[in-house]
Amino acid sequence: MKHLRTAINVVSFALLGVSLIWLLTVYGSFPEEIGIHFGEDNEFDVYASKWLAFFPFIAGFGLTIVFTVGDIAVSRAKCISKKLSEDDDIFVRKILLIAFDSMKLFWAVFYTIWAHCVIHQTRMFTFGISVRDFQKLPLLIISWAFMAIDSKVRLKKSKRYIIIGEIILTVFMIIAAIIGIKLRK
């Protein structure tokens, strides 16, 4: 698990670092105004000064740092809560670390793609989903983590019914997101 977390850190920071180096090498050839923000159709809807081309790197690097700090805090805390048993504490730590690492990797990849699109002035590639909807995907990671912790720690007596309910809730959230995307088109 520790090697995987280290690999996620290396990949996340490397993706952003490569995009920054790439941006620095082509920055001089940019016109004074470039596309920097994407609308519902994944095409640029805001054009601004070329120095704002650094936004994807800054945002991605900032979020990667935030989730790395969260990783460090969870790893170094003596216990998550004194009310938890040792097994529950270990479980909560693992779930939080998985959630932080997933978020870190998601945002690093997302902002690296954004930087690529800004550098080449191309539309954003998000598998046919609008950028705004694509940015909501990490909410599934957060809700999954809280549901897993809740079902393991707080509601031990009726696990089977709670897990079934949480699976139904997750499926409902995904279906609602798909319907919302289809209705906007």
Side-chain angles (χ1 to χ4, degrees):
M1 178 91 170
K2 190 172 184 176
H3 296 300
L4 178 61
R5 289 182 51 230
T6 301
I8 288 171
N9 280 328
V10 169
V11 167
S12 297
F13 284 106
L15 283 170
L16 292 165
V18 166
S19 70
L20 176 64
I21 292 167
W22 190 5
L23 177 61
L24 289 170
T25 60
V26 298
Y27 182 77
S29 65
F30 284 167
E32 286 306 310
E33 280 201 353
I34 60 169
I36 59 162
H37 188 269
F38 300 95
E40 285 293 320
D41 60 354
N42 293 355
E43 297 285 347
F44 288 112
D45 65 347
V46 174
Y47 290 82
S49 178
K50 70 180 185 178
W51 69 268
L52 286 171
F54 289 99
F55 170 77
F57 168 76
I58 293 167
F61 188 74
L63 284 169
T64 302
I65 290 291
V66 165
F67 291 116
T68 300
V69 168
D71 271 353
I72 293 168
V74 168
S75 297
R76 295 199 176 162
K78 291 184 180 178
C79 69
I80 300 298
S81 172
K82 293 180 181 182
K83 296 179 182 180
L84 297 176
S85 69
E86 186 176 339
D87 287 344
D88 289 345
D89 187 72
I90 290 168
F91 179 79
V92 169
R93 282 174 194 273
K94 284 181 180 178
I95 294 297
L96 288 174
L97 292 173
I98 290 168
F100 283 147
D101 286 342
S102 299
M103 298 285 280
K104 183 186 319 179
L105 192 57
F106 176 87
W107 289 116
V109 169
F110 178 78
Y111 281 110
T112 299
I113 293 169
W114 189 320
H116 170 82
C117 293
V118 167
I119 289 168
H120 293 287
Q121 291 294 284
T122 59
R123 84 186 306 268
M124 181 69 128
F125 175 72
T126 54
F127 305 99
I129 303 170
S130 76
V131 173
R132 289 189 182 110
D133 290 331
F134 195 77
Q135 288 175 307
K136 294 174 189 170
L137 290 176
L139 295 175
L140 293 174
I141 296 169
I142 294 168
S143 55
W144 166 81
F146 282 116
M147 287 188 299
I149 290 169
D150 187 54
S151 65
K152 169 77 167 114
V153 175
R154 194 170 68 81
L155 304 168
K156 291 182 177 182
K157 294 179 182 174
S158 56
K159 277 186 195 173
R160 181 174 11 149
Y161 301 109
I162 291 175
I163 291 172
I164 291 169
E166 289 171 347
I167 290 170
I168 291 170
L169 176 64
T170 303
V171 169
F172 176 75
M173 288 171 51
I174 292 169
I175 291 170
I178 291 169
I179 290 171
I181 290 168
K182 297 291 182 189
L183 289 177
R184 275 192 237 143
K185 292 181 180 180

